[in-house]
Amino acid sequence: KDGRIVKEEVKHSRPAGMQGFLYNMRRPLFADAAVRKALGYAFDFEWSNKQFAYGEYARTDSYFENSDLAAEDGPPKGKELEILEKYRGQIPEEVFTVRYHPPRTDGSGNMRENLRAAAMTLDAAGWKLGKDGIRANAKGEKLKFEIIDANPMFERWVLPFIANLKKIGVAANFRVLDPAQYQNRMNEFDYDMTVGVIAQSDSPGNEQVDFWGSEKADTPGSRNYIGV
């Protein structure tokens, strides 16, 4: 009956899953892996967690977080490697060498190194800073997008992210929609980015096809929000 102990028990028995920013990769902008990588450097989770959640959140780096299905440290091995080998050349080579970890900061709010890494990534990918302070590619397409949500409470998390993006020449805005409009746009995949949840269980099943199946990427109303 110790509140602290109960809290820990709940924390370690919750269903696996992920909440975060979902990029709609149907958009040409987010089909560029370099853009997705760079934007990740601009989100200061550690600072936001301290400011808005009293340090209670844990950063997720697996879609099956907090379960036996979560990725382990080190390169894949055994049966996992055997399966992945079938797709070598079709998936990023780094899958065979390292486990993904999101960028981290010291939580001070000073993230110059991360923003420098983001800017260098965009420079290398051909997104150059224009006179208007916004990056553009060789086609003249601007690096700008909209984040939508039906919950205004996420504004406190999103606005500092947008401010960091502005420092590296990325123009983003946050728009709160009424629930019906938000659901309609999600059903039609009419969004650039949103905040969403991909819930998992210890016994993943047919829902995985809805999350990741290529056929579902073009099926209105499916849960393949990212457009894999």
Side-chain angles (χ1 to χ4, degrees), residues 154-212:
F154 279 110
E155 185 175 44
R156 60 183 180 176
W157 289 81
V158 175
L159 293 186
F161 178 40
I162 289 176
N164 288 333
L165 291 173
K166 184 177 180 180
K167 295 176 183 177
I168 58 172
V170 179
N173 69 283
F174 181 57
R175 184 179 179 190
V176 178
L177 307 175
D178 68 73
Q181 185 182 14
Y182 177 77
Q183 190 58 57
N184 286 336
R185 289 187 60 173
M186 292 299 294
N187 289 342
E188 297 299 323
F189 310 125
D190 181 21
Y191 55 91
D192 299 325
M193 186 186 294
T194 187
V195 177
V197 175
I198 296 180
Q200 301 286 7
S201 72
D202 287 331
S203 300
N206 293 336
E207 76 281 358
Q208 303 305 312
V209 176
D210 217 23
F211 291 147
W212 320 114

Side-chain angles (χ1 to χ4, degrees), residues 7-8 22 40-41 45 53 83 117 222 224:
K7 181 178 179 182
E8 285 300 305
L22 305 182
Y41 278 109
F45 169 81
I83 293 172
S222 83
N224 190 339

Side-chain angles (χ1 to χ4, degrees), residues 21-71:
F21 293 106
L22 305 182
Y23 304 168
N24 184 0
M25 297 202 306
R26 301 170 187 84
R27 298 285 203 253
L29 176 66
F30 293 130
D32 187 338
V35 170
R36 302 195 305 270
K37 179 179 180 180
L39 299 191
Y41 278 109
F43 179 56
D44 193 343
F45 169 81
E46 285 74 20
W47 179 86
S48 297
N49 187 29
K50 182 172 62 176
Q51 295 294 321
F52 308 131
Y54 303 99
E56 289 294 308
Y57 284 5
R59 190 74 188 270
T60 300
D61 52 15
S62 170
Y63 287 106
F64 296 92
E65 189 72 26
N66 203 36
S67 80
D68 292 335
L69 303 175

